[in-house]
Amino acid sequence: MQEHADALWVGIDAENIAYRKLIVELAEKNRLPAMYPFREFVEVGGLMTYTLDFVDLFTRAAGYIDQILKGEAPGDIPIYQATKFELVINMKAAKVIGLAIPPGLLLRAGEVIE
């Protein structure tokens, strides 16, 4: 009996980001539903991502910098834990691999790429 993966989860390693198009193509070729760390994978044809809202994080980082530049001690600034995430689903990718996305999941998505 030959072993076969049922799905793929891609980590945030730099080499994965550099080879995102190849990774997405291989997942599609092998008809593997895949979860990616960043929306850039989904934009090149990947199935879906559930990731941090980086615009929110960068806005908060700018606020931290502003506070520090105005004299606030970095140790006195409360640490923010991310609470905003985005789910992006690529329906074209789902169709290519023959995967039906449940309607409830589609309703929760912040963006659905047709």
Side-chain angles (χ1 to χ4, degrees):
M1 182 173 135
Q2 186 176 9
E3 296 291 324
H4 186 296
D6 294 322
L8 174 67
W9 176 82
V10 177
I12 62 170
D13 301 318
E15 59 269 9
N16 291 345
I17 297 165
Y19 293 105
R20 65 185 170 272
K21 186 145 179 63
L22 176 61
I23 293 168
V24 166
E25 288 170 357
L26 289 171
E28 181 181 302
K29 178 182 174 188
N30 290 286
R31 300 180 52 89
L32 285 174
M35 189 78 165
Y36 299 98
F38 305 113
R39 73 176 298 122
E40 288 80 7
F41 286 85
V42 179
E43 290 170 351
V44 297
L47 179 62
M48 70 174 63
T49 184
Y50 185 67
T51 188
L52 300 167
D53 182 336
F54 287 100
V55 172
D56 181 54
L57 288 181
F58 293 149
T59 301
R60 289 186 181 276
Y64 288 152
I65 293 167
D66 181 58
Q67 288 177 289
I68 293 167
L69 291 175
K70 289 180 178 172
E72 186 88 27
D76 294 338
I77 300 172
I79 295 173
Y80 169 76
Q81 183 170 345
T83 58
K84 287 181 74 178
F85 297 86
E86 68 174 352
L87 173 62
V88 182
I89 300 172
N90 185 329
M91 289 304 294
K92 182 179 175 187
K95 289 176 188 167
V96 168
I97 65 171
L99 182 68
I101 304 293
L105 188 59
L106 289 173
L107 289 173
R108 288 180 178 87
E111 183 178 351
V112 175
I113 297 173
E114 299 292 334

